[in-house]
Each structure stands twice: as structure tokens, then as C-alpha cells.
Amino acid sequence: MGIFNFDEMQTFGRVQGVDTATIIVQVEDPAQLSRLQVNHLIAIRSSKVGQALIGMVSKIMRKFSDELSQPDEGETVSMDVVKATLIGTLLGREGERRNVFKRTLESVPEIDSQCFIMTDDVLTAFMGVISGADSGMEHPLCIGKYTINNGALAWLDGNKLFQRHAVIVGSTGSGKSFTVATLLEKIAELKSCNAILFDIHGEYAPITGEGIQHYKIAGPADVPSDQTMFLPYWLLSYEEMLALMLDRSDTNAPNQAMVFSQAVIAGKIAMLEEGGHNDLAGEITVDSPVPYQILQVLEYLREQNTSTKTGSSGRQVQGDFYGKLSRFIQRLDAKVSDKRLNFMFSSAEDLLDFSYMEALCRRLMAPASQGGGIKILDFSEVPSDILPLIVSLLARIVFSVQQWMDRSKLNPLAIFCDEAHLYIPANAQQGIESSSLQSFERIAKEGRKYGIGLVIVSQRPSEVNRTVLSQSSNFIAMRLTNAEDQAVIKRLLPDSIGNFADLLPVLDIGEAIAVGDASLLPSRIVIDIPRQKPDSATVKFWDEWSRETAPDDIGAAVQAMRKQGR
């Protein structure tokens, strides 16, 4: 049938045991055993005409037993046994298409069903079936070559990869950044592509080309420009504002939060009325992304902190909030004057314009056909203590706009979360991290409905939030050497992929295990090297130490640290 002509193929054994998706094969031709390895593919004759079952070898054993026969005294009898996991069915024909591979089991093998090793020619033909135009994938995405047959291209289903979220994990130096760069290059080839990459360390700056835009979250000395991105404080939700500015351990925290929210709403209404948007003034909430003057809020807080009122005796006494806002005012004043937070508290007038929100969203969310495409956001100058808040702010804005967009005009968008363990932590320790988690958990759970796909990229999956990971249905796992990280990925991988999870610590650089809805076959893949390599190369210590002289740039580095800018 099709690529399998069982009458011309030599059987290596017969099925002796069947259990749901696992079979036990007794080897009849020991000479063929040397050609078989764990994770190799085998074909099993199906009871249904025109079908063949595909199995993946999970264990090869040689058993010794006196019960196998009646041996002469001193004679040892052995039997070779192969255990395999059933992974799908090859149909000779389905409708107009020939040789169709499906991940479902159309039947299970009968006892004594013949099993066959795929020769190089047969294996190449089979990999072509699941990789080529006949694979059934609507828009296949080529990411490399199969390790089992390096002549066969490895494809993923581009729809399912982003619809159902993806996880890319691997230890430092395993090729994780190259994999992300390869994916970005493939995405950029599409005319209406739309993706955002949170580049935490600025390592993806070399990835350039048509359909790829670069923005830097503004540093201390930056002013508004086409290449810099400012995220003014008025974009923050009420909870995000309090996470950034309020010390919840303060006994006066409830009073501080109440007065602050009153001041913010009053400031927003004043700006709307000043700009002629009176129709909105009665409809906004404290969460509405409307500009307001933070200095006016500070002035109002100071007034409340020193205000007095007339007591019952007619004398002036302390007001309701007298002295209770002092610490909050100090914290807020420190934030506003902190040069590191220039991207948030810059005094540039453009950032208080009512139209700034729309302009920001266009930069973030425009597809390639509208001058956008892949947006690489450089967070390298954002202070690490508020990084989770700022990253989640952008994710929340994107999700909210998609949520309110007309469904008929929705353009799907993928968010690549590089170094995800830094801002989607497994254990949130403070208010900022908790606020960050809420945004990403919601996208993980509901993003598919609104055309937002998450791609989690991390070297420490054990430190990434479990809810976000468990909502992902696709995994590209590269070499992982840490036992905790291996355990997390093994728990998330489906049970039916055989012994692939055991390969995690021994994968080569640039090699990955691809499993999930987007992969027709659980596969060990050599990822393509990107045309433009990210700036993530590991420093070669011994080679650098062996040089006659070394550059001296310490003075410039100290000066840059003082200025908080390169």
C-alpha cells in the first residue's frame, strides 16, 4: 500500500502483546536487530486493508529464560523483544489524497501482526509524506531537518503552533536564541505577519530586514523618536499603579490608595474637559487609559497631607488625611524624579496627548502589510525591579485592544516572551510580580479567542509560572541539564511520545525535541541556523585570556553606569 509494499519488505518480528498505545514485538530475525535503535520508526501491518500503523521504538531488550524451551543442561536460551509506542496511522488513500498520515489510531494491531523496519528509502518516503505538500498542514512552517533522516525537512503547522501557544526551552548555549531567530525569519516572510518579541537583553538587535521593526524602551537620556518607545504612567491600571507606588505594609496604605485614586480620576476628567472630550468625562474609570498630570496629583496629595479643618470648638484641627500621606508622597516623588524611569515619567508634552495611546498601539500591533510586522522591543535599559510590570503592561494593552476589536477585522498576533522566568515567575514574591502574572495568565487562558498566541522562551522552565506552561500545547525542548527543569518538561509532555523526554540532557547544540499539536510526529530535529544570528554568543574565556593584550573600557563603563545610558 502506497510507500509500504509489505510483500517486498522483510519482517523483523511479530506482535506478541498489545496495550492501548503500546505493543510488544518478538524479534524473529536477530540479524535485523542491529539496524534498530530506540526512537526509530517501525511499520506494523494493520488489520484494515490500505492502512499501516506507525510505531516508535521505546525499548529493546534481550530476555533470558529457562521457560522459553527445554534447553540442554548448561545451555542458555534468549529472546529479543522490542517495545514500541503507537503514534499514528498511514492511510493509503483518503479522498483525493494518497499516503495520508494521521496521529489517530484507526485500529490496533492484532497478535502476530507483522512488523517491519523502515529502510532508508522507505523512511525518506514516509518523512516526505509528513513533511511535504501532502502533509495536510494548511501553511507548513519549516524549522529544520529530522535527526532520524537528515534528508527530510521538518515542518510544523503554523496555525496550531500559535493558536495553542508554544514553549521553547533549553539551557544556556543550547541554541535557544537561534531557534527564536529562525522562527522570526520564517514569520517575516509572510506578507501580513504580526508578532512582538520582548528582547530583555537586547540580543536580537542584529535581526533586521523587511517586516522587522526595532524599538528601544527609552533610557534615562532618550527623548521621543521613531526608534524609542515611551510608556507613560497614565497607561497603568489602578492595580499596577499601586503595585509600583504603594507600600502595602504601611498602616496608612488604604487611605493613601483612596486619596490617590480620587486624585487620578479628577486629573483625567480635567484633561478630558480641557481637550474637548466632555462626552468621555462621565464614562471613564480609574483604569481608563486617559492622560493626566502626575505633578498635579502630587500637589493634591500634599494639600491633603497638610490640610486642616474647623473642629467642634471652632478651632483649626488636623484634616482626615493630615500626615497620613507623607510616605506615599515620598515614594511617588522618588519615582517621578528617578532618571531610570524616564520612559514612564518623562516630561515630554507629546506623551500627554490624547492620541498617544492610538499611536502606541499602532506601533505595537500593526501587521507587516500596514508598516509593522515583527516588533522587537529592547528592554535592556529597563530597571530589573520593575521589568515584570512594564512587560505585562504592554501585554495587557495588546490583549485589551484585541478584545475590543471587531472580530471580522481581527489580525492575529504572537507574543514572544524571551527570558520569561524573569517576569512570569512560578512564585510571585511581590506586588509587581503578582500584577504581571495576571496579564499573562489571562492571555494563556483566553488569548486563542482573540487571536493572541504566546511563545514562552526560557532557560529555566522550573521558574516559569505553571498555569502559563500548562496552557501551552506545543514544545520545542532543547538540551536541559538541570534536573528540576527536566522534570517540569517531562510532566508537561504527553505520555505517548516514548522515551524522547530522556534525551533532554544529551541533545546536541541546535538540536531539539518538537512535540505538540503543531507537530504531526513527535520529532528530534536539527534546527536551521538563522541567516542573521542574534548577539547571544557565549564569551570564550580561555581564548580571551590567551590574548597578548586585552581592551581597557572600564572607565567608559563606569561613566555609562553613572549616566544610566551607553
Side-chain angles (χ1 to χ4, degrees), residues 160-369:
K160 293 178 180 177
L161 182 67
F162 298 108
Q163 282 173 345
R164 300 170 191 179
H165 309 313
V167 174
I168 302 174
V169 293
S171 300
T172 301
S174 62
K176 192 169 61 277
S177 299
F178 276 30
T179 301
V180 173
T182 297
L183 268 176
L184 293 178
E185 285 183 353
K186 304 291 184 181
I187 294 170
E189 295 172 0
L190 306 178
K191 299 298 183 184
S192 291
C193 65
N194 200 352
I196 298 172
L197 168 65
F198 296 141
D199 183 8
I200 304 305
H201 301 302
E203 61 187 273
Y204 293 93
I207 312 299
T208 58
E210 189 175 353
I212 298 177
Q213 315 298 329
H214 284 267
Y215 299 104
K216 187 185 93 168
I217 306 301
D222 289 325
V223 295
S225 70
D226 291 341
Q227 277 68 50
T228 57
M229 185 172 286
F230 285 76
L231 305 170
Y233 53 86
W234 53 263
L235 291 172
L236 295 168
S237 69
Y238 179 58
E239 285 299 323
E240 290 166 345
M241 285 186 252
L242 295 185
L244 177 65
M245 302 169 188
L246 185 70
D247 180 2
R248 295 187 185 274
S249 64
D250 192 325
T251 54
N252 289 312
N255 289 325
Q256 295 167 357
M258 181 178 67
V259 177
F260 178 67
S261 66
Q262 292 171 352
V264 168
I265 291 178
K268 290 183 176 184
I269 291 175
M271 289 286 284
L272 287 173
E273 291 175 345
E274 185 181 322
H277 301 285
N278 298 56
D279 54 324
L280 287 174
E283 299 178 359
I284 66 165
T285 68
V286 70
D287 285 329
S288 300
V290 173
Y292 64 92
Q293 287 276 9
I294 193 69
L295 296 180
Q296 290 181 3
V297 170
L298 265 169
E299 184 180 341
Y300 177 80
L301 291 172
R302 289 193 178 101
E303 289 175 3
Q304 292 294 314
N305 194 49
T306 57
S307 65
T308 59
K309 63 182 180 180
T310 304
S312 55
S313 63
R315 297 175 59 187
Q316 291 297 108
V317 296
Q318 294 179 354
D320 294 337
F321 304 107
Y322 190 93
K324 295 180 179 179
L325 308 177
S326 300
R327 292 184 64 189
F328 183 74
I329 291 170
Q330 290 172 355
R331 286 172 62 85
L332 181 53
D333 202 21
K335 296 289 184 186
V336 173
S337 58
D338 189 343
K339 293 296 184 185
R340 301 178 308 155
L341 304 184
N342 177 50
F343 64 89
M344 181 175 286
F345 294 106
S346 169
S347 58
E349 291 186 6
D350 294 353
L351 304 179
L352 287 175
D353 194 287
F354 185 76
S355 63
Y356 183 81
M357 173 79 171
E358 182 178 337
L360 174 66
C361 290
R362 289 190 182 280
R363 295 171 85 184
L364 280 173
M365 303 176 64
S369 55

Side-chain angles (χ1 to χ4, degrees), residues 115-140:
C115 302
F116 305 86
I117 295 175
M118 294 192 195
T119 60
D120 289 345
D121 292 343
V122 173
L123 181 61
T124 300
F126 175 71
M127 300 309 270
V129 166
I130 66 170
S131 305
D134 294 332
S135 64
M137 290 189 277
E138 196 171 338
H139 299 289

Side-chain angles (χ1 to χ4, degrees), residues 221 440 473 498 541:
F440 286 104
S473 299
F541 280 64

Side-chain angles (χ1 to χ4, degrees), residues 365-382:
M365 303 176 64
S369 55
Q370 297 174 14
I374 295 173
K375 282 75 64 172
I376 299 178
L377 309 184
D378 181 355
F379 285 82
S380 59
E381 293 191 27
V382 174

